[in-house]
Amino acid sequence: MKILNVVGARPNFMKIAPIIDEMKKRSKLTPILVHTGQHYDKEMSKLFFDDLKLPPPDIYLGVGSASHAVQTAKIMVKFEKVLLKEKPDLVVVVGDVNSTIACTLTAVKFFIPVAHIEAGLRSFDRTMPEEINRILTDSISDYLFTTCHDANKNLLKEGISKDKIHFVGNVMIDTLLKHIKKASHSGILKKLNLQPKDYAALTLHRPSNVDDKKVFVRILDAFGEIQKKIKIVFPIHPRTKKRIEEFGLNNKIRKMKNFKIVDALGYLDFLKLMSESKFVLTDSGGIQEETTILKIPCITLRETTERPITVTEGTNIIVGSNKEKIIKESLKIIKGKEKKGKIPKFWDGKAAERIANILLSKDLR
Ligand code: UD1
């Protein structure tokens, strides 16, 4: 069974890695790795291939950055040629980025079955580009692999047949559990002159937080207060870096003496940074899940989450972009009153194994 596995952006790499590994263990499955090139910087792509020991992509589409329409369309045009040449039995897509929907849409028009990993997550906020990508991808995919029961419920509510849905657990957690020991040897704390539990780790890149100057400044003001109590370390995303320049915020940031911006980190260094932190501030999707497994308190700077299990079972708290709430929840943690969580079902390192077994049991040819 020839399977094209698609990656495009940073959060895809750690999801596909364990799936490729499990496919390789099964002689009947032949995985091929396609990288759309949505993310292309060394820090956003190559570092992850190295850290995760992902094989170099068999096929690289090199689409790069552009508006949503141009980026999605470019991926479709290039991926169509790949499908015509490779004639795969299945396409596997992960997550919710533009590469996910672009490749799904292209494949289904050739009647090639699509498996969507991390299906059924919903923020119910259609202003998020990822929410549109999730809904569309799920509605036309053939195999929907979910990380939690909420996702199954969402899909059933949207009228998707029960037979297509498989609750298998979380592949991103497979990767985390596999690499946590290796990450513990990372020298990143030493390099950044940090002591365990003596800092908060921050990531911030959502358009809703950084593309509007007023919102971005409000959030920065919250960080300005928090850094008076604890050091904040911020591996910066290229989108955010651009906005700081554009909005002329460099001076403001320079005045925050305990707020340290560093280049975006690779997988192992970031895992180490997160796991030794006092708490994490983020607007990422995946980091809400990773902190739940690591039992590190997580403050999410978004109004909603498509991963509610990280709030109901994990260590996550949703605060939006409200300055007072961000400060209040951070101070609580600094004072030692943090939220304790538990590990969701099937976040056990075996999700990819379950997926590969299910695919093997299907007669796709
Ligand atoms: C994308 C995903 C988002 C994910 C995020 C993780 C979509 C709709 N969004 O958002 O879900 O959380 O990736 O990073 O697919 N850039 C570089 N170098 C790169 C990549 C991007 O400089 O390697 C810059 C470009 O100027 C680009 C901007 O960052 O315009 C945004 O990149 P893009 O891929 O459009 O979206 P992300 O914000 O990264």
Side-chain angles (χ1 to χ4, degrees):
M1 205 191 293
K2 190 175 185 181
I3 304 177
L4 290 193
N5 298 277
V6 176
V7 291
R10 184 170 61 175
N12 295 159
F13 306 130
M14 54 291 246
K15 293 172 192 167
I16 218 71
I19 295 171
I20 301 252
D21 280 350
E22 288 298 325
M23 285 181 179
K24 280 189 176 158
K25 287 185 198 161
R26 290 159 179 80
S27 59
K28 284 191 180 153
L29 306 180
T30 308
I32 293 176
L33 184 58
V34 182
H35 187 344
T36 65
Q38 177 175 345
H39 284 175
Y40 44 87
D41 280 356
K42 185 170 165 235
E43 291 84 16
M44 300 299 284
S45 177
K46 173 84 169 50
L47 278 185
F48 287 78
F49 276 78
D50 295 347
D51 278 359
L52 300 169
K53 301 241 173 322
L54 258 173
D58 299 291
I59 299 165
Y60 185 70
L61 305 182
V63 296
S65 302
S67 68
H68 283 276
V70 172
Q71 187 176 62
T72 309
K74 263 189 174 173
I75 298 169
M76 290 182 70
V77 170
K78 294 200 172 187
F79 193 60
E80 185 172 59
K81 293 197 179 102
V82 173
L83 292 179
L84 285 169
K85 181 157 175 265
E86 298 292 335
K87 301 193 170 34
D89 301 298
L90 177 76
V91 169
V92 173
V93 297
V94 297
D96 55 16
V97 300
N98 286 342
S99 302
T100 311
I101 177 61
C103 293
T104 303
L105 189 50
T106 315
V108 297
K109 298 255 173 116
F110 282 129
F111 310 113
I112 298 168
V114 174
H116 182 208
I117 317 285
E118 209 185 65
L121 298 182
R122 297 290 181 267
S123 65
F124 303 101
D125 172 4
R126 291 198 178 197
T127 64
M128 275 183 90
E130 294 82 359
E131 182 75 352
I132 306 298
N133 294 345
R134 289 189 279 259
I135 294 169
L136 296 181
T137 302
D138 286 338
S139 71
I140 54 177
S141 291
D142 302 270
Y143 300 94
L144 300 167
F145 292 109
T146 62
T147 56
C148 56
H149 279 302
D150 300 321
N152 286 44
K153 275 194 219 152
N154 293 336
L155 293 171
L156 291 171
K157 253 193 242 157
E158 286 172 21
I160 289 171
S161 153
K162 198 167 109 233
D163 305 338
K164 290 185 174 181
I165 307 169
H166 307 272
F167 172 38
V168 289
N170 195 325
V171 287
M172 207 183 57
I173 301 307
D174 291 6
T175 297
L176 186 149
L177 295 174
K178 186 175 167 194
H179 289 85
I180 189 78
K181 193 155 172 242
K182 203 167 174 196
S184 71
H185 301 300
S186 146
I188 193 67
L189 261 55
K190 219 171 170 190
K191 191 172 161 198
L192 300 178
N193 200 13
L194 298 168
Q195 297 300 323
K197 302 294 163 207
D198 204 25
Y199 63 91
L202 164 69
T203 81
L204 194 78
H205 73 281
R206 292 268 156 225
S208 58
N209 283 334
V210 304
D211 284 2
D212 179 333
K213 185 174 178 186
K214 225 173 88 193
V215 178
F216 194 7
V217 167
R218 188 167 72 221
I219 292 173
L220 280 178
D221 284 340
F223 299 154
E225 290 304 311
I226 298 163
Q227 57 95 43
K228 290 178 187 161
K229 307 279 180 199
I230 192 167
K231 199 178 279 177
I232 300 179
V233 183
F234 181 18
I236 197 164
H237 185 283
R239 172 190 286 278
T240 314
K241 205 175 189 170
K242 256 197 201 162
R243 297 295 176 258
I244 290 177
E245 296 292 331
E246 252 174 61
F247 298 152
L249 296 170
N250 274 316
N251 257 344
K252 183 179 179 69
I253 289 174
R254 229 170 276 132
K255 285 187 198 138
M256 294 159 42
K257 294 290 175 225
N258 241 349
F259 185 80
K260 196 175 167 66
I261 295 185
V262 298
D263 286 339
L265 297 175
Y267 184 75
L268 295 171
D269 284 345
F270 187 69
L271 186 49
K272 171 79 171 179
L273 186 79
M274 232 180 349
S275 59
E276 298 284 8
S277 69
K278 178 81 178 159
F279 64 102
V280 170
L281 292 151
T282 193
D283 61 2
S284 149
I287 290 173
Q288 299 171 51
E289 298 181 340
E290 290 171 334
T291 45
T292 277
I293 286 291
L294 295 169
K295 296 196 181 298
I296 298 288
C298 180
I299 298 179
T300 297
L301 281 71
R302 285 175 41 190
E303 305 300 330
T304 55
T305 179
E306 64 287 340
R307 292 162 161 91
I309 198 168
T310 60
V311 177
T312 53
E313 297 193 16
T315 56
N316 192 16
I317 297 168
I318 306 290
V319 295
S321 61
N322 180 304
K323 182 181 159 192
E324 270 64 47
K325 268 197 202 163
I326 301 170
I327 298 172
K328 188 173 139 215
E329 292 301 335
S330 299
L331 292 183
K332 256 200 223 165
I333 297 169
I334 293 168
K335 284 184 193 143
K337 285 185 215 141
E338 72 240 29
K339 186 176 170 189
K340 304 264 188 290
K342 59 174 187 181
I343 307 296
K345 187 178 170 193
F346 279 178
W347 292 22
D348 58 358
K350 293 188 178 137
E353 190 183 317
R354 293 185 192 102
I355 291 169
N357 286 340
I358 291 169
L359 293 178
L360 203 57
S361 72
K362 305 281 172 190
D363 191 8
L364 294 175
R365 306 199 79 169

